[in-house]
Amino acid sequence: MLLLQSGAPTRPTFWGIGPVGKAAFYYLAALAIVVFLLGAYRRVARYAEGDEDPFPRLDDLPGRIVGAAGTVLSNRTLRDRDVVAGFAHAFVLWGFLTLLIATTILGIDMDFYQPLTGDSFFVGDFYLSYSFVVDAMGLLFVVGLGVLLYRRYAARQGRLWGRHTSAEDDLFVWALFLLGVGGYLTEGFRILGQGYPDFETVSFVGWATAVALDGAGMTPAMAEATYPIVWWSHSILALAFIAAIPMGKPFHMLSSYANVVTHDEDAGKRLPGVPADLEATNAESIDDFSWKELLDQDACTKCGRCSAACPAKASGRPLDPRDVILDLKNYREARDAGAEEIPIVTDGGTSVIAAETMESCMACMACMDACPVEIEHLNSFTRMNRQLVDQGDLDRNVQDTFQNVMQQGNTFGESQRNRADWADPLDAELADARERSVEYLWYVGDYPSFDDRNKKVARSLARLFEEADVDYGILYDDEVYDGNDVRRVGEEFLFIEQAATLVDAFEDCDFEKIVCTDPHAFNTFENEYPEVDFAEYADDPMMEVPEESWDGAPVFHWTQVVEDLVTDGRLGLRGDELDYTVTYHDPCHLGRYNGEYEAPRDLVRATGCELAEMPRNRDDSFCCGGGGGGLWMEFDDDPKPSEERLREALEDTSAGGRVEKFVVACPMCTTMFEDGRKTGGFEDDIEVVDVAELLIEAVEVRENAGVAADEAGAAETAADD
């Protein structure tokens, strides 16, 4: 029974199968491959029917492929926020790829190398190394699947279960597990049936399986007789799995990688534009979605990470990002199968997605950040919001906001003549950037200009600029709303009009840099205005646009500018002026959108405050609820996102109840958290302050200490005289 080729260890692949069985296997294998290729072709052909994507997705394709391979093979995105699931999936992936490569190597030897050379490389040291690696990696495969099965069925992790959980998910994970276990059973039966060849100890899992079978009372003769049944069971399951890959959830093994290859690094923080053609549709049918958005739908693995991260879902709103993507996918597949067409999104009546679901989105991008396969939810969501705008299916409050912007140039509906009134209490008059050159053009924004609470923040920031002798100016009544959130609510043409107005104002000024109070404005100036092709709208008689696109300018959030001022010593802070215990909330548009996490924290520490972090911080921050038009709408949230965040600050930080101040760096966050402080009953527990207010208090403490020291010195001198 010892199987040798010229004395070298090896094994026959079709041991006990016979020539008829071998021919049947090759026939079934060819059939499985043909079914797989046809199914994959149909998938790709369906993507080609989608609309053209506005962003380059295949530029630098070799670099994209290599980068995506690194992401997928490392399982970096899967380990984020869930280390156990990340490593378990890594074991499954690495094991699966190893087994696939091993099978390919065996096929090359049997079907190409041996017929061409009359020899085999599947012998000796190569065979022994091959057997050891395959057994080791196969064990990782089974262990990883065991962990995933435990989390799904024993621990019943919540995010793995939802409206779209189906038998397909069970079949997928159990098929993989049975393939892994079946491979070892096949190996164990062979080793026992061949009488334990000494060299097969390198196949340590298969050897242990053979020993277990032996201990259970199976003889070598019984193993040899049973082996063909076990082999065929394993082979048919493997071939059926290959054929089924394009037909259901297993296809994510390919579509997810393709999605990572074609993802946009700036997805979310810049949105696709719309054609200037007024006849163009946004989401009237599923074919309005771009090919990348269709690929997003197939790439979804139902892992539920986006659902777990979504603040709208956590607040009881009807939005579940996973369900939206999968609802679109299911509708597309139903339409392809001949189902009746229904509206994609409407306010009332039958539709794929309800208007209230889309209105629930805060555009915080938490779903995209949590997604391990780079699904760009916000692009699809914005497309549907634009369809709601086209249909007039909008929240009444949002419509009023649109009217305010169209008529007055700001979301408050206030006269533009009053835009700079917030600065009246200041000692110094602010420079007019329209009349003289400045280093910094300060875009103040709507809320700091018109909202009483945020006017205090604007005045604090102005005093900081004056204290540091910053050369800055504002646009006065030529400053209009930047358009960031109306774009995310779906009013693209109003966004274009606001961008055109502001770009004209920028072009008429002489400045070096733009500094923004609001992270929303910072994001849209930095990432979206330079992308707008104004020439596309030049022939529209209803729109006045610049002749050329804006070539941009250096754009900063004010915390980035003031951080440099503090570092240079221009505010004179020693770092011990204040002794509050505080926590800091990362605004979505500053942190998750644009990666700025440290500047605000450095400024908080520069005041002397003790900074206690909330568990959800930086890219895992929990949205205040104001983004995506949420500030203009009313929801029956329980709890409100702002209330939940304040609770987290007081109960979940390491400092606990010692936290005195909840520090923010966004006017919208200030508004939402001041409201949450009242509705959540936190008014006596914590104070909401902007970083600028904390800094100016520290500056005042420093100045008062200096005055006191001067007075004490003068008194001492007088006493000496």
Side-chain angles (χ1 to χ4, degrees):
M1 279 291 181
L2 192 61
L3 302 171
L4 297 173
Q5 176 176 311
S6 302
T10 187
R11 64 173 168 83
T13 304
F14 291 101
W15 179 64
I17 302 303
V20 175
K22 182 176 179 181
F25 173 81
Y26 274 100
Y27 170 76
L28 293 174
L31 184 62
I33 292 171
V34 168
V35 172
F36 167 80
L37 292 175
L38 286 174
Y41 171 79
R42 289 181 61 189
R43 290 273 191 173
V44 175
R46 185 64 182 88
Y47 303 146
E49 296 175 13
D51 206 359
E52 182 180 355
D53 196 272
F55 295 130
R57 300 288 185 175
L58 301 175
D59 58 319
D60 185 27
L61 189 56
R64 284 177 173 269
I65 290 172
V66 172
T71 298
V72 171
L73 291 174
S74 68
N75 273 244
R76 172 181 56 81
T77 54
L78 280 156
R79 293 197 307 275
D80 186 26
R81 296 187 178 94
D82 194 337
V83 175
V84 173
F87 276 108
H89 189 276
F91 290 171
V92 174
L93 174 66
W94 299 338
F96 183 87
L97 290 177
T98 300
L99 296 174
L100 177 63
I101 292 169
T103 303
T104 303
I105 289 173
L106 184 57
I108 291 172
D109 178 71
M110 290 177 53
D111 302 323
F112 296 97
Y113 188 79
Q114 287 188 36
L116 289 174
T117 66
D119 203 355
S120 171
F121 59 73
F122 196 62
V123 296
D125 290 342
F126 179 87
Y127 171 74
L128 296 175
S129 301
Y130 171 100
S131 296
F132 176 77
V133 170
V134 169
D135 255 41
M137 297 305 292
L139 182 60
L140 286 185
F141 179 69
V142 173
V143 168
L145 283 163
V147 172
L148 298 181
L149 286 167
Y150 171 81
R151 288 163 66 92
R152 174 175 287 274
Y153 298 107
R156 289 192 69 85
Q157 188 173 35
R159 65 176 173 82
L160 299 176
W161 298 87
R163 179 156 54 83
H164 287 278
T165 304
S166 67
E168 174 187 56
D169 305 300
D170 302 321
L171 287 171
F172 175 60
V173 68
W174 280 109
L176 286 175
F177 185 74
L178 290 174
L179 280 172
V181 172
Y184 286 126
L185 280 174
T186 305
E187 189 174 48
F189 272 96
R190 178 182 57 79
I191 291 173
L192 177 58
Q194 292 175 352
Y196 293 103
D198 291 342
F199 58 84
E200 289 290 12
T201 54
V202 296
S203 301
F204 59 97
V205 183
W207 186 278
T209 304
V211 171
L213 292 171
D214 195 356
M218 180 166 287
T219 65
M222 292 168 59
E224 184 175 3
T226 309
Y227 178 78
I229 299 173
V230 177
W231 187 92
W232 271 113
S233 299
H234 179 66
S235 299
I236 289 173
L237 178 60
L239 295 176
F241 183 82
I242 292 171
I245 286 176
M247 300 177 187
K249 186 170 182 175
F251 191 66
H252 87 267
M253 297 187 296
L254 301 177
S255 57
S256 295
Y257 176 69
N259 216 46
V260 176
V261 170
T262 57
H263 86 282
D264 175 21
E265 289 283 356
D266 294 322
K269 59 185 177 182
R270 65 170 184 178
L271 294 174
V274 299
D277 179 11
L278 294 177
E279 299 300 318
T281 57
N282 287 297
E284 280 191 358
S285 76
I286 195 68
D287 288 324
D288 283 334
F289 288 78
S290 74
W291 65 264
K292 175 58 171 64
E293 289 162 345
L294 300 182
L295 179 60
D296 277 344
Q297 297 163 17
D298 280 353
C300 180
T301 67
K302 305 184 188 180
C303 71
R305 291 181 182 232
C306 60
S307 305
C310 179
K313 180 174 172 59
S315 301
R317 297 187 191 180
L319 173 65
D320 184 324
R322 169 177 59 184
D323 284 350
V324 172
I325 295 299
L326 293 175
D327 283 343
L328 291 170
K329 174 185 178 179
N330 287 355
Y331 173 67
R332 185 193 83 216
E333 292 179 342
R335 283 287 295 143
D336 292 345
E340 181 182 354
E341 185 173 12
I342 60 174
I344 298 294
V345 59
T346 60
D347 184 12
T350 301
S351 60
V352 182
I353 309 295
E356 63 176 353
T357 299
M358 287 297 90
E359 290 168 355
S360 300
C361 179
M362 304 169 190
C364 67
M365 235 164 65
C367 54
M368 292 173 57
D369 188 68
C371 180
V373 295
E374 305 287 3
I375 293 173
E376 298 168 10
H377 306 71
L378 206 54
N379 288 354
S380 293
F381 292 4
T382 303
R383 179 181 294 281
M384 288 183 281
N385 283 336
R386 288 169 178 168
Q387 185 63 31
L388 289 172
V389 171
D390 290 350
Q391 296 167 180
D393 291 336
L394 278 175
D395 181 276
R396 181 71 255 175
N397 292 325
V398 173
Q399 292 185 43
D400 291 343
T401 301
F402 289 172
Q403 282 294 116
N404 289 340
V405 175
M406 286 187 280
Q407 294 173 358
Q408 299 293 344
N410 62 78
T411 55
F412 285 80
E414 297 281 347
S415 170
Q416 283 291 101
R417 291 192 301 272
N418 303 329
R419 189 157 195 116
D421 288 356
W422 63 269
D424 290 346
L426 294 173
D427 295 334
E429 183 177 354
L430 275 61
D432 191 333
R434 300 169 300 181
E435 297 179 357
R436 74 171 181 86
S437 63
V438 293
E439 180 181 3
Y440 287 99
L441 173 62
W442 179 15
Y443 179 82
V444 182
D446 276 16
Y447 273 80
S449 297
F450 297 111
D451 174 65
D452 288 339
R453 174 64 184 87
N454 280 289
K455 287 178 183 179
K456 298 177 183 178
V457 177
R459 287 192 285 268
S460 296
L461 183 52
R463 290 176 60 193
L464 290 172
F465 285 160
E466 293 293 335
E467 184 77 19
D469 196 25
V470 175
D471 180 21
Y472 72 97
I474 65 173
L475 290 171
Y476 284 84
D477 55 347
D478 277 353
E479 178 182 296
V480 298
Y481 172 59
D482 59 86
N484 176 277
D485 286 273
V486 299
R487 189 180 207 201
R488 279 151 181 78
V489 178
E491 231 311 352
E492 180 71 8
F493 288 104
L494 183 54
F495 166 77
I496 298 296
E497 289 177 352
Q498 296 306 112
T501 302
L502 271 176
V503 166
D504 277 337
F506 293 163
E507 296 289 359
D508 289 340
C509 297
D510 183 11
F511 63 90
E512 297 177 27
K513 310 160 191 171
I514 297 175
V515 59
C516 303
T517 323
D518 187 349
H520 295 241
F522 165 58
N523 177 76
T524 207
F525 295 160
E526 173 73 8
N527 299 306
E528 297 192 304
Y529 276 25
E531 297 279 336
V532 178
D533 183 5
F534 291 114
E536 192 175 348
Y537 304 90
D539 295 333
D540 189 337
M542 302 295 292
M543 300 182 71
E544 295 182 12
V545 296
E547 294 182 1
E548 298 179 353
S549 297
W550 186 47
D551 58 3
V555 183
F556 300 91
H557 184 251
W558 74 263
T559 56
Q560 297 171 319
V561 173
V562 175
E563 180 190 31
D564 290 339
L565 301 178
V566 169
T567 301
D568 293 343
R570 290 170 64 177
L571 289 178
L573 295 177
R574 300 184 305 271
D576 60 0
E577 284 80 5
L578 305 180
D579 61 357
Y580 302 122
T581 301
V582 306
T583 193
Y584 171 69
H585 165 78
D586 289 282
C588 301
H589 279 69
L590 183 61
R592 192 178 294 115
Y593 270 68
N594 289 287
E596 181 54 79
Y597 301 109
E598 300 311 319
R601 286 176 167 80
D602 290 344
L603 293 177
V604 170
R605 295 188 185 98
T607 67
C609 291
E610 176 190 351
L611 177 60
E613 294 284 3
M614 287 180 278
R616 290 176 289 190
N617 61 74
R618 293 178 169 81
D619 60 351
D620 195 24
S621 182
F622 192 76
C623 181
C624 71
L631 195 60
W632 308 320
M633 303 184 214
E634 296 180 4
F635 298 96
D636 295 326
D637 294 339
D638 185 22
K640 292 182 177 180
S642 56
E643 295 171 358
E644 164 60 18
R645 193 64 163 152
L646 290 167
R647 182 211 61 77
E648 181 180 355
L650 288 168
E651 297 180 9
D652 296 345
T653 63
S654 58
R658 290 194 298 111
V659 175
E660 302 166 80
K661 296 181 185 292
F662 188 93
V663 184
V664 297
C666 170
M668 289 190 178
C669 290
T670 301
T671 301
M672 297 303 292
F673 287 121
E674 288 288 14
D675 178 67
R677 198 164 70 101
K678 296 172 185 175
T679 59
F682 298 108
E683 290 181 279
D684 297 332
D685 301 321
I686 196 167
E687 181 184 1
V688 176
V689 298
D690 190 277
V691 179
E693 295 175 304
L694 206 62
L695 280 167
I696 204 63
E697 182 179 351
V699 169
E700 290 172 349
V701 168
R702 184 213 68 197
E703 291 176 344
N704 292 336
V707 170
D710 290 344
E711 290 176 349
E716 184 178 346
T717 301
D720 291 341
D721 292 342

